[in-house]
Amino acid sequence: MSASLVDPRLQGRALKRVAFTTDQIRGRVRELGADISAAYPDGDLLVLGLLKGSFILVSDLVREISRPLQVDFLVVSSYGNDMVSSGTVRMVYDAQAVLKGKHILLVEDIVDSGRTLSMVITVLQEREPASIEVCALLDKHLSTFLEHPPRFVGFDAPNEFLVGYGLDHAENFRHLPYIASLQ
Ligand code: PRP
């Protein structure tokens, strides 16, 4: 689908521009799935989605990974209804899966300041996984302190407030099939 700036899903809000179209995302997710499949020849793979933003990416991505895996989720939140991070990351819901000895692939929709990833990786490392890697659809490359930068990145993201394909503003626009910046 080609993205339109006049879209009934936008509740009258104007988009500044479409950053990544539905077709671009679909193609890149397919490539990420192939890269991830090749990167894990052995062992137990647990795909851990960081909710809510990654819910669409996880469902598309796991269907492009051609090896056994399990899926679980964490809910963390930092932005509330604001357009800038609150600076505090809260674990709202913890994964139920056992992580010990497994390869963990954390799936994130976007890396902005990197605070969310830092906090989550610190917590997960204490559970003695075999490895932890990150797949992020979008990376703004703003973080200078990330010890664990994403190994799998969909797109380098512009430093704009992006919505769609899981990303929200005040919980709206997550269901857009493309990624756009707001006015
Ligand atoms: C957003 C986004 C990332 C995080 C990135 O989540 O989904 O998880 O912020 O920002 P950071 O790199 O500055 O930490 P948010 O806290 O808005 O929750 P959500 O996933 O429910 O949208």
Side-chain angles (χ1 to χ4, degrees), residues 51-53 76-79 108-116 168 174:
L51 295 176
K52 300 176 204 167
V76 292
S77 187
S78 65
Y79 278 69
E108 178 65 298
D109 53 346
I110 186 165
V111 182
D112 196 324
S113 71
R115 278 194 202 95
T116 304
D168 74 308
R174 292 193 197 270

Side-chain angles (χ1 to χ4, degrees), residues 77-136:
S77 187
S78 65
Y79 278 69
N81 287 342
D82 299 329
M83 288 178 83
V84 291
S85 172
S86 65
T88 311
V89 180
R90 287 187 307 127
M91 177 87 78
V92 179
Y93 170 84
D94 202 348
Q96 303 299 296
V98 173
L99 273 60
K100 187 168 181 173
K102 294 178 183 166
H103 296 298
I104 308 303
L105 181 67
L106 266 180
V107 178
E108 178 65 298
D109 53 346
I110 186 165
V111 182
D112 196 324
S113 71
R115 278 194 202 95
T116 304
L117 270 189
S118 278
M119 175 277 211
V120 171
I121 289 172
T122 300
V123 168
L124 298 184
Q125 271 169 338
E126 292 168 6
R127 301 179 189 177
E128 302 176 49
S131 67
I132 300 184
E133 299 288 355
V134 176
C135 175

Side-chain angles (χ1 to χ4, degrees), residues 24-35:
Q24 282 178 300
I25 297 167
R26 187 180 296 127
R28 190 68 189 111
V29 170
R30 192 167 295 147
E31 290 172 352
L32 288 172
D35 291 348

